[in-house]
Amino acid sequence: MNAQPCSTPCLAIVVPCYNESEIFPLCLTELGERLRAMADSRLIGPESYLLFVDDGSWDDTWAQISAASTQYAHVRGLKLSCNKGHQAALLSGLAHADGADIIVSIDADLQDDTSAIEKMVRAYLAGHDVVYGVRASRQTDTAFKRLTAETFYRLMKAMGVRQVFNHADFRLLSRRARDALMEYRERNIYIRGLIPLIGFPSAEVHYDRKERTAGVSKYPLHKMIALALEGITSMTVTPLRLITLAGFCISIISVLAIIAVLINKIAGNPIQGWASVIVAIFFIGGIQMLSLGIIGEYIGKIYLETKQRPRSHIEEKEGFAERTPIPTRE
Ligand code: UDP
Ligand code: MG
């Protein structure tokens, strides 16, 4: 059970936004209504709020966030100085969720079912520090996205990374789980891989993933590959071990080949097999280059980690001053 769940906790909903001007008004309304409904039923405190993190958008997302935070007491905004990616934007939001007892992170595009937030809060009140939003079905994702995502989850599992299947970054964290996450100081960060390492009691809430209501995915193929690489290199050294294993297997094959060559020589058989020599050279050359690339990837990560550069910079903050609570409908 978690330490002491607050009876009416202050909830912060953190929403990273990158060029989401088309969907922002809808997102603001839908999440605002959810917040109000939960405050009205005294599930959460009236000081609960939405925190939109603008990840260096070049459309008018920030102008909209800024206007909303001036207009509504329950809206706060954070503007990063430039585009740092979803994970960095999310972390920045988590770090700035001041005063919140619980924090829910959700994408701006409303693909995740916002009604699951209430279930997450109830799971927190029942004693869980971490509540994972798990996609019960991915029918609305393209076949390609489904296949690549599920293959990736399976690959990570095969490499020994504990990760909740079909869970992305829609989750609830209690304050102490958030604080624990903040203690992970690495730059090469893959949040959904770290959360299970934190421990604390956890639960799952299942929901059906919807289609994007407006705008297009901000995760093109190259960003998906980058996130997958980030996930693998930050969570496991299995690829390095596979290189050792490959080296071991090739060494055994080489010993067998040497024995075969020697037997041929002793038996006086004429030397033959130019093709097999060339094939072996290319094969081993290829494996070596690939291995160097994998090792290089890890060395690159060490290089970046040693610099300890900040993950993001805040350019502007809106709505963080003393606020009046959301007026409840009574
Ligand atoms: N996002 C972000 N920075 C980026 C890319 C995406 O903050 O560089 C946000 C985006 O605005 C959205 C969330 O991350 O709120 C998930 O992105 P998206 O919905 O485009 O990803 P998909 O659902 O297609 O995987
Ligand atoms: Mg999406």
Side-chain angles (χ1 to χ4, degrees):
M1 292 292 105
N2 63 14
Q4 237 182 357
C6 288
S7 51
T8 45
C10 170
L11 166 68
I13 302 183
V14 173
V15 194
C17 306
Y18 179 53
N19 294 334
E20 300 287 10
S21 66
E22 277 177 77
I23 195 116
F24 181 77
L26 266 172
C27 179
L28 177 68
T29 314
E30 183 162 331
L31 290 178
E33 277 168 9
R34 295 278 177 211
L35 210 61
R36 180 184 291 278
M38 286 187 284
D40 281 352
S41 59
R42 303 219 186 284
L43 198 60
I44 57 170
E47 68 286 15
S48 300
Y49 60 92
L50 308 177
L51 172 54
F52 293 96
V53 184
D54 175 42
D55 185 19
S57 304
W58 38 260
D59 64 4
D60 73 344
T61 301
W62 176 247
Q64 292 191 42
I65 296 175
S66 173
S69 60
T70 313
Q71 192 178 353
Y72 304 108
H74 65 281
V75 179
R76 299 184 189 187
L78 208 58
K79 177 175 166 45
L80 302 191
S81 59
C82 59
N83 181 236
K84 291 285 187 180
H86 177 215
Q87 301 286 289
L90 185 51
L91 269 182
S92 182
L94 292 176
H96 287 86
D98 308 339
D101 300 303
I102 44 176
I103 304 156
V104 168
S105 50
I106 188 168
D107 292 350
D109 56 9
L110 302 177
Q111 282 191 282
D112 300 319
D113 185 358
T114 56
S115 70
I117 297 175
E118 188 176 325
K119 294 181 197 150
M120 290 179 169
V121 175
R122 290 190 190 280
Y124 162 79
L125 293 172
H128 299 98
D129 284 274
V130 179
V131 188
Y132 298 101
V134 175
R135 298 162 188 180
S137 79
R138 301 185 73 117
Q139 297 311 324
T140 52
D141 280 347
T142 61
F144 178 72
K145 181 126 193 167
R146 211 161 49 226
L147 181 75
T148 46
E150 291 185 351
T151 309
F152 176 62
Y153 284 112
R154 294 209 168 89
L155 188 70
M156 290 291 268
K157 191 168 176 215
M159 289 193 287
V161 180
R162 273 204 299 148
Q163 205 181 330
V164 178
F165 191 68
N166 272 340
H167 158 72
D169 284 304
F170 181 31
R171 76 175 74 80
L172 176 146
L173 293 178
S174 68
R175 191 200 298 236
R176 71 172 179 170
R178 187 278 307 260
D179 292 347
L181 178 65
M182 292 299 147
E183 284 172 30
Y184 289 75
R185 301 247 161 248
E186 64 227 59
R187 308 294 101 179
N188 172 25
I189 202 148
Y190 181 65
I191 302 175
R192 70 193 77 158
L194 289 182
I195 304 282
L197 297 185
I198 292 175
F200 293 133
S202 65
E204 291 181 5
V205 164
H206 294 252
Y207 67 96
D208 287 324
R209 188 158 155 93
K210 293 180 261 176
E211 283 191 44
R212 233 179 196 277
T213 323
V216 292
S217 171
K218 307 299 176 307
Y219 259 102
L221 187 61
H222 72 271
K223 276 198 184 178
M224 264 161 59
I225 294 174
L227 181 69
L229 279 180
E230 201 85 326
I232 294 169
T233 53
S234 77
M235 299 305 299
T236 171
V237 291
T238 302
L240 295 177
R241 299 220 173 100
L242 289 178
I243 293 177
T244 314
L245 188 68
F248 183 71
C249 294
I250 291 172
S251 305
I252 292 190
I253 295 170
S254 318
V255 170
L256 296 178
I258 290 168
I259 293 172
V261 167
L262 285 179
I263 291 173
N264 267 342
K265 180 144 177 84
I266 293 163
N269 289 339
I271 305 234
Q272 43 166 283
W274 182 83
S276 57
V277 171
I278 291 294
V279 167
I281 289 175
F282 276 108
F283 175 68
I284 295 181
I287 296 270
Q288 279 176 342
M289 295 296 276
L290 182 69
S291 307
L292 275 179
I294 295 174
I295 297 168
E297 191 68 33
Y298 281 88
I299 294 178
K301 291 285 143 83
I302 299 169
Y303 169 70
L304 293 175
E305 290 293 331
T306 55
K307 291 175 189 279
Q308 286 289 301
R309 287 183 175 164
R311 294 189 188 111
S312 58
H313 301 285
I314 310 291
E315 189 176 313
E316 280 179 61
K317 276 170 104 175
E318 292 279 3
F320 278 78
E322 199 54 40
R323 313 303 299 256
T324 42
I326 331 170
T328 49
R329 281 197 206 110
E330 270 179 312

Coordinates of all heavy atoms in Angstrom, one line a residue, residues 248-308:
F248 N 32.0 -15.7 -30.0 CA 32.3 -17.1 -29.5 C 31.9 -18.1 -30.6 O 32.7 -19.0 -30.9 CB 31.5 -17.3 -28.2 CG 31.7 -18.6 -27.6 CD1 32.9 -18.9 -27.0 CD2 30.7 -19.6 -27.5 CE1 33.2 -20.1 -26.3 CE2 30.9 -20.8 -26.9 CZ 32.2 -21.0 -26.3
C249 N 30.7 -18.0 -31.1 CA 30.2 -18.9 -32.2 C 31.1 -18.9 -33.4 O 31.5 -20.0 -33.9 CB 28.8 -18.6 -32.6 SG 27.6 -18.8 -31.3
I250 N 31.5 -17.7 -33.8 CA 32.4 -17.6 -35.0 C 33.7 -18.3 -34.7 O 34.3 -18.9 -35.6 CB 32.5 -16.2 -35.5 CG1 31.2 -15.7 -36.0 CG2 33.6 -16.0 -36.6 CD1 31.1 -14.2 -36.3
S251 N 34.2 -18.1 -33.5 CA 35.5 -18.7 -33.1 C 35.4 -20.2 -33.2 O 36.3 -20.9 -33.7 CB 35.9 -18.3 -31.7 OG 35.9 -16.9 -31.6
I252 N 34.3 -20.8 -32.7 CA 34.2 -22.2 -32.8 C 34.1 -22.7 -34.2 O 34.8 -23.6 -34.6 CB 32.9 -22.7 -32.0 CG1 33.1 -22.4 -30.6 CG2 32.6 -24.1 -32.3 CD1 32.1 -22.9 -29.6
I253 N 33.4 -22.0 -35.1 CA 33.3 -22.3 -36.5 C 34.7 -22.3 -37.1 O 35.1 -23.1 -37.9 CB 32.3 -21.4 -37.2 CG1 30.9 -21.6 -36.7 CG2 32.3 -21.7 -38.7 CD1 29.9 -20.6 -37.2
S254 N 35.5 -21.2 -36.7 CA 36.8 -21.0 -37.3 C 37.7 -22.2 -37.0 O 38.4 -22.7 -37.8 CB 37.5 -19.8 -36.8 OG 36.6 -18.7 -36.8
V255 N 37.6 -22.7 -35.7 CA 38.4 -23.8 -35.3 C 38.1 -25.0 -36.1 O 39.0 -25.7 -36.6 CB 38.2 -24.1 -33.8 CG1 38.9 -25.4 -33.4 CG2 38.8 -22.9 -32.9
L256 N 36.8 -25.3 -36.3 CA 36.4 -26.4 -37.1 C 36.9 -26.3 -38.5 O 37.4 -27.2 -39.2 CB 34.8 -26.5 -37.1 CG 34.2 -26.8 -35.8 CD1 32.7 -26.8 -35.9 CD2 34.7 -28.1 -35.2
A257 N 36.8 -25.0 -39.1 CA 37.3 -24.8 -40.5 C 38.8 -25.0 -40.6 O 39.3 -25.7 -41.5 CB 37.0 -23.4 -40.9
I258 N 39.5 -24.6 -39.5 CA 41.0 -24.8 -39.5 C 41.3 -26.3 -39.5 O 42.1 -26.8 -40.3 CB 41.7 -24.1 -38.3 CG1 41.6 -22.6 -38.5 CG2 43.1 -24.6 -38.1 CD1 41.9 -21.8 -37.3
I259 N 40.6 -27.0 -38.7 CA 40.8 -28.5 -38.6 C 40.5 -29.1 -40.0 O 41.3 -29.9 -40.5 CB 39.9 -29.1 -37.6 CG1 40.4 -28.6 -36.2 CG2 40.0 -30.7 -37.6 CD1 39.5 -29.0 -35.0
A260 N 39.4 -28.7 -40.7 CA 39.1 -29.2 -42.0 C 40.2 -28.9 -43.0 O 40.6 -29.8 -43.8 CB 37.8 -28.6 -42.5
V261 N 40.7 -27.7 -42.9 CA 41.8 -27.3 -43.9 C 43.0 -28.2 -43.7 O 43.6 -28.7 -44.6 CB 42.1 -25.8 -43.7 CG1 43.4 -25.4 -44.4 CG2 40.9 -25.0 -44.2
L262 N 43.4 -28.4 -42.4 CA 44.6 -29.2 -42.1 C 44.4 -30.6 -42.5 O 45.3 -31.2 -43.1 CB 44.8 -29.1 -40.5 CG 45.4 -27.8 -40.0 CD1 45.6 -27.9 -38.5 CD2 46.8 -27.5 -40.7
I263 N 43.2 -31.2 -42.3 CA 43.0 -32.5 -42.7 C 43.1 -32.6 -44.2 O 43.8 -33.5 -44.8 CB 41.6 -33.0 -42.3 CG1 41.6 -33.2 -40.7 CG2 41.2 -34.4 -42.9 CD1 40.2 -33.5 -40.1
N264 N 42.6 -31.7 -44.9 CA 42.7 -31.6 -46.4 C 44.1 -31.6 -46.9 O 44.5 -32.3 -47.8 CB 42.0 -30.4 -47.0 CG 40.5 -30.7 -47.3 OD1 40.2 -31.9 -47.5 ND2 39.7 -29.7 -47.4
K265 N 44.9 -30.8 -46.1 CA 46.3 -30.6 -46.5 C 47.1 -31.9 -46.3 O 47.8 -32.4 -47.2 CB 46.9 -29.5 -45.7 CG 48.4 -29.2 -46.0 CD 48.7 -27.7 -45.9 CE 50.2 -27.5 -46.1 NZ 50.5 -27.4 -47.5
I266 N 46.8 -32.5 -45.1 CA 47.5 -33.7 -44.8 C 47.2 -34.8 -45.8 O 48.0 -35.6 -46.3 CB 47.3 -34.2 -43.3 CG1 47.9 -33.2 -42.4 CG2 47.8 -35.6 -43.1 CD1 47.4 -33.2 -41.0
A267 N 45.9 -34.8 -46.2 CA 45.4 -35.9 -47.1 C 45.9 -35.6 -48.5 O 45.6 -36.4 -49.4 CB 43.9 -35.9 -47.0
G268 N 46.5 -34.4 -48.7 CA 47.0 -34.1 -50.0 C 46.0 -33.7 -51.0 O 46.2 -33.7 -52.3
N269 N 44.8 -33.3 -50.6 CA 43.8 -32.8 -51.5 C 44.2 -31.4 -52.0 O 44.7 -30.6 -51.3 CB 42.4 -32.7 -50.8 CG 41.9 -34.1 -50.5 OD1 42.3 -35.0 -51.1 ND2 41.0 -34.1 -49.5
P270 N 43.9 -31.2 -53.3 CA 44.3 -29.9 -53.8 C 43.5 -28.7 -53.1 O 42.3 -29.0 -52.7 CB 43.9 -30.0 -55.3 CG 42.9 -31.1 -55.4 CD 43.2 -32.0 -54.3
I271 N 44.1 -27.6 -53.0 CA 43.4 -26.4 -52.3 C 42.3 -25.9 -53.2 O 42.5 -25.7 -54.4 CB 44.4 -25.3 -52.0 CG1 45.5 -25.8 -51.2 CG2 43.7 -24.1 -51.5 CD1 45.9 -25.2 -50.0
Q272 N 41.1 -25.8 -52.7 CA 40.0 -25.3 -53.5 C 39.2 -24.4 -52.6 O 39.5 -24.3 -51.4 CB 39.2 -26.4 -54.0 CG 39.0 -27.5 -53.0 CD 37.9 -28.5 -53.3 OE1 36.7 -28.2 -53.3 NE2 38.2 -29.7 -53.7
G273 N 38.2 -23.7 -53.1 CA 37.3 -23.0 -52.3 C 37.6 -21.5 -52.2 O 37.4 -20.9 -51.1
W274 N 37.8 -20.9 -53.3 CA 38.0 -19.4 -53.3 C 36.7 -18.8 -52.8 O 36.7 -17.8 -52.0 CB 38.4 -19.0 -54.7 CG 38.7 -17.5 -54.8 CD1 39.8 -16.8 -54.5 CD2 37.7 -16.5 -55.2 NE1 39.7 -15.5 -54.7 CE2 38.4 -15.2 -55.2 CE3 36.4 -16.5 -55.7 CZ2 37.8 -14.0 -55.5 CZ3 35.8 -15.3 -56.0 CH2 36.5 -14.1 -55.9
A275 N 35.6 -19.3 -53.3 CA 34.3 -18.7 -53.0 C 34.1 -18.7 -51.5 O 33.6 -17.8 -50.9 CB 33.2 -19.5 -53.7
S276 N 34.4 -19.9 -50.9 CA 34.1 -20.0 -49.4 C 35.0 -19.0 -48.6 O 34.6 -18.4 -47.6 CB 34.3 -21.4 -48.9 OG 35.6 -21.8 -49.2
V277 N 36.2 -18.8 -49.1 CA 37.1 -17.8 -48.4 C 36.5 -16.4 -48.5 O 36.4 -15.7 -47.5 CB 38.5 -17.8 -49.0 CG1 39.4 -16.7 -48.5 CG2 39.2 -19.1 -48.7
I278 N 36.1 -16.0 -49.7 CA 35.5 -14.7 -49.9 C 34.2 -14.5 -49.0 O 34.1 -13.5 -48.4 CB 35.1 -14.5 -51.4 CG1 36.4 -14.4 -52.2 CG2 34.3 -13.2 -51.6 CD1 37.3 -13.2 -51.9
V279 N 33.4 -15.6 -49.0 CA 32.2 -15.5 -48.3 C 32.5 -15.3 -46.8 O 31.9 -14.5 -46.1 CB 31.3 -16.8 -48.5 CG1 30.2 -16.9 -47.4 CG2 30.7 -16.8 -49.9
A280 N 33.5 -16.1 -46.3 CA 33.9 -15.9 -44.9 C 34.4 -14.5 -44.6 O 34.1 -14.0 -43.5 CB 35.0 -17.0 -44.6
I281 N 35.2 -14.0 -45.5 CA 35.8 -12.6 -45.2 C 34.6 -11.6 -45.1 O 34.6 -10.8 -44.2 CB 36.8 -12.2 -46.4 CG1 38.0 -13.1 -46.2 CG2 37.1 -10.8 -46.3 CD1 39.0 -12.9 -47.3
F282 N 33.7 -11.7 -46.1 CA 32.6 -10.7 -46.1 C 31.7 -10.9 -44.8 O 31.3 -10.0 -44.2 CB 31.8 -10.9 -47.3 CG 32.3 -10.1 -48.5 CD1 32.9 -10.7 -49.6 CD2 32.3 -8.7 -48.5 CE1 33.4 -10.0 -50.6 CE2 32.8 -7.9 -49.5 CZ 33.4 -8.6 -50.6
F283 N 31.5 -12.2 -44.5 CA 30.6 -12.5 -43.4 C 31.2 -11.9 -42.1 O 30.6 -11.2 -41.3 CB 30.4 -14.0 -43.3 CG 29.6 -14.4 -42.1 CD1 28.3 -14.1 -41.9 CD2 30.3 -15.1 -41.0 CE1 27.6 -14.5 -40.8 CE2 29.5 -15.5 -39.9 CZ 28.2 -15.2 -39.8
I284 N 32.5 -12.3 -41.9 CA 33.1 -11.8 -40.6 C 33.3 -10.3 -40.6 O 33.1 -9.6 -39.6 CB 34.5 -12.6 -40.4 CG1 34.1 -14.0 -40.2 CG2 35.2 -12.0 -39.2 CD1 35.2 -14.9 -40.0
G285 N 33.6 -9.7 -41.8 CA 33.8 -8.3 -41.9 C 32.5 -7.6 -41.5 O 32.4 -6.6 -40.8
G286 N 31.4 -8.2 -42.0 CA 30.0 -7.6 -41.7 C 29.7 -7.6 -40.3 O 29.3 -6.6 -39.7
I287 N 30.0 -8.8 -39.7 CA 29.7 -9.0 -38.2 C 30.6 -8.0 -37.4 O 30.1 -7.3 -36.5 CB 30.0 -10.4 -37.8 CG1 29.1 -11.4 -38.5 CG2 30.0 -10.5 -36.3 CD1 27.9 -11.7 -37.8
Q288 N 31.8 -7.8 -37.9 CA 32.7 -6.9 -37.1 C 32.2 -5.5 -37.2 O 32.2 -4.7 -36.2 CB 34.1 -7.0 -37.7 CG 34.9 -8.2 -37.1 CD 36.2 -8.3 -37.7 OE1 36.5 -7.8 -38.8 NE2 37.1 -9.1 -37.1
M289 N 31.8 -5.0 -38.4 CA 31.3 -3.7 -38.5 C 30.1 -3.4 -37.7 O 29.9 -2.4 -37.0 CB 31.0 -3.4 -40.0 CG 32.2 -3.4 -40.9 SD 33.3 -2.1 -40.5 CE 32.6 -0.7 -41.4
L290 N 29.2 -4.4 -37.7 CA 27.9 -4.3 -37.0 C 28.2 -4.2 -35.5 O 27.7 -3.4 -34.8 CB 27.1 -5.5 -37.3 CG 25.7 -5.6 -36.6 CD1 24.8 -4.5 -37.2 CD2 25.0 -6.9 -36.8
S291 N 29.2 -5.1 -35.1 CA 29.6 -5.1 -33.6 C 30.2 -3.8 -33.2 O 29.8 -3.2 -32.2 CB 30.6 -6.2 -33.4 OG 30.1 -7.4 -33.9
L292 N 31.0 -3.2 -34.1 CA 31.6 -1.9 -33.8 C 30.6 -0.9 -33.7 O 30.6 0.0 -32.8 CB 32.6 -1.5 -34.9 CG 34.0 -2.1 -34.7 CD1 34.9 -1.6 -35.9 CD2 34.6 -1.6 -33.5
G293 N 29.6 -0.9 -34.5 CA 28.5 0.0 -34.5 C 27.7 0.0 -33.2 O 27.4 1.0 -32.6
I294 N 27.4 -1.3 -32.7 CA 26.7 -1.4 -31.5 C 27.5 -0.9 -30.3 O 27.0 -0.1 -29.5 CB 26.3 -2.9 -31.3 CG1 25.3 -3.3 -32.4 CG2 25.7 -3.1 -29.9 CD1 24.9 -4.8 -32.4
I295 N 28.8 -1.3 -30.3 CA 29.7 -0.8 -29.2 C 29.8 0.7 -29.3 O 29.7 1.4 -28.2 CB 31.1 -1.5 -29.3 CG1 31.0 -3.0 -29.2 CG2 32.0 -0.9 -28.3 CD1 32.2 -3.7 -29.5
G296 N 29.9 1.2 -30.5 CA 30.0 2.7 -30.7 C 28.7 3.4 -30.1 O 28.8 4.5 -29.5
E297 N 27.6 2.8 -30.3 CA 26.3 3.3 -29.8 C 26.4 3.5 -28.3 O 26.0 4.6 -27.8 CB 25.2 2.4 -30.2 CG 23.8 2.9 -30.1 CD 23.5 4.1 -31.0 OE1 23.9 4.1 -32.1 OE2 22.7 4.9 -30.6
Y298 N 26.9 2.5 -27.6 CA 27.0 2.6 -26.2 C 28.1 3.6 -25.7 O 27.9 4.4 -24.8 CB 27.3 1.2 -25.6 CG 26.1 0.3 -25.5 CD1 25.7 -0.5 -26.5 CD2 25.3 0.3 -24.3 CE1 24.6 -1.3 -26.4 CE2 24.2 -0.4 -24.2 CZ 23.8 -1.2 -25.3 OH 22.7 -2.0 -25.2
I299 N 29.2 3.6 -26.5 CA 30.3 4.6 -26.1 C 29.7 6.0 -26.3 O 30.0 6.9 -25.5 CB 31.5 4.3 -27.0 CG1 32.1 3.0 -26.6 CG2 32.6 5.4 -26.8 CD1 33.3 2.5 -27.4
G300 N 29.0 6.2 -27.4 CA 28.4 7.5 -27.7 C 27.5 7.9 -26.5 O 27.5 9.1 -26.1
K301 N 26.8 6.9 -26.0 CA 25.9 7.3 -24.8 C 26.7 7.6 -23.6 O 26.4 8.6 -22.9 CB 25.0 6.1 -24.5 CG 23.9 5.8 -25.6 CD 22.8 6.8 -25.5 CE 22.2 7.2 -26.9 NZ 21.3 6.4 -27.5
I302 N 27.8 6.9 -23.4 CA 28.7 7.3 -22.2 C 29.2 8.7 -22.4 O 29.2 9.5 -21.5 CB 29.9 6.3 -22.1 CG1 29.4 4.9 -21.9 CG2 30.8 6.7 -21.0 CD1 30.5 3.8 -22.1
Y303 N 29.6 9.0 -23.6 CA 30.1 10.4 -24.0 C 29.1 11.4 -23.6 O 29.4 12.4 -23.0 CB 30.5 10.3 -25.4 CG 30.8 11.7 -26.1 CD1 32.0 12.4 -25.7 CD2 30.0 12.2 -27.0 CE1 32.3 13.6 -26.3 CE2 30.2 13.4 -27.6 CZ 31.4 14.1 -27.3 OH 31.7 15.3 -27.8
L304 N 27.9 11.2 -24.1 CA 26.8 12.2 -23.8 C 26.5 12.2 -22.3 O 26.2 13.3 -21.8 CB 25.5 11.8 -24.6 CG 25.7 11.9 -26.1 CD1 24.4 11.5 -26.8 CD2 26.0 13.4 -26.5
E305 N 26.5 11.1 -21.6 CA 26.2 11.1 -20.2 C 27.2 11.8 -19.4 O 26.9 12.5 -18.5 CB 26.1 9.6 -19.7 CG 24.9 8.8 -20.1 CD 23.6 9.3 -19.6 OE1 23.5 9.9 -18.5 OE2 22.6 9.1 -20.4
T306 N 28.5 11.7 -19.8 CA 29.5 12.4 -19.0 C 29.4 13.9 -19.0 O 29.8 14.6 -18.1 CB 30.9 12.0 -19.5 OG1 31.0 12.3 -20.8 CG2 31.3 10.6 -19.3
K307 N 28.8 14.4 -20.1 CA 28.6 15.9 -20.1 C 27.6 16.4 -19.2 O 27.6 17.5 -18.8 CB 28.2 16.3 -21.6 CG 29.2 16.1 -22.6 CD 28.6 16.4 -24.0 CE 29.5 16.0 -25.1 NZ 30.5 17.0 -25.4
Q308 N 26.6 15.5 -18.8 CA 25.6 15.9 -17.8 C 24.9 17.2 -18.3 O 24.7 18.1 -17.5 CB 26.2 16.1 -16.4 CG 26.5 14.7 -15.8 CD 25.2 14.0 -15.4 OE1 24.4 14.5 -14.6 NE2 25.1 12.8 -15.9

